[in-house]
């Protein structure tokens, strides 16, 4: 490992780089965890916004729980190196999720 600090990405604002450089390792790890979760959240929201609104009610999949709307999509979340399926849908300004089951690596 190099004795030189890493070079920040060119597109990262200076004030963020300065704040990160002044942070201790524990704070940096917390920021990294938060930033990854926030990025996943924003990507999910963007995917949901890109999905066309469904005017007509489509046939419900057999495995769709009664409390999950038919417009829900399936996403994969990784938690502690394990992958899980979740139903996700927009409810007003919020994105809601419901656990579906583990991802089968053979699928």
């Amino acid at each position: 490992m190099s004795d030189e600090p890493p070079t920040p990405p060119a597109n990262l604002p200076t004030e963020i780089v300065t704040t990160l450089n002044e942070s201790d390792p524990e704070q940096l790890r917390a920021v990294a965890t938060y930033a990854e979760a926030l990025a996943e959240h924003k990507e999910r929201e963007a995917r949901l916004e890109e999905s066309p609104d469904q005017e007509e009610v489509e046939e419900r999949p057999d495995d769709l729980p009664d409390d999950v709307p038919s417009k829900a999509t399936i996403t994969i979340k990784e938690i502690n190196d394990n992958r899980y399926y979740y139903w996700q849908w927009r409810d007003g300004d919020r994105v809601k999720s419901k656990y579906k089951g583990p991802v089968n690596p053979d699928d």
Side-chain angles (χ1 to χ4, degrees), residues 1-92:
M1 194 158 211
S2 173
D3 289 336
E4 295 295 319
T7 303
N11 63 344
L12 205 57
T14 303
E15 58 272 12
I16 292 177
V17 172
T18 300
T19 299
L20 292 174
N21 284 334
E22 294 170 351
S23 300
D24 63 42
E26 185 177 329
Q27 290 171 320
L28 290 170
R29 284 188 173 72
V31 166
T33 300
Y34 170 72
E36 185 63 33
L38 183 60
E40 288 178 11
H41 172 76
K42 288 186 175 212
E43 288 169 346
R44 259 191 322 274
E45 284 208 330
R47 280 195 308 271
L48 288 172
E49 286 176 4
E50 289 173 3
S51 298
D53 290 338
Q54 297 176 351
E55 296 289 332
E56 298 177 23
V57 176
E58 295 180 6
E59 190 173 319
R60 291 177 67 84
D62 292 338
D63 61 345
L64 186 67
D66 290 337
D67 59 343
V68 174
S70 60
K71 66 181 179 181
T73 60
I74 295 177
T75 59
I76 297 174
K77 292 184 182 183
E78 186 166 330
I79 303 170
N80 296 332
D81 295 327
N82 296 305
R83 294 165 43 109
Y84 302 96
Y85 288 117
Y86 281 82
W87 293 103
Q88 283 195 325
W89 65 97
R90 181 172 293 287
D91 185 13

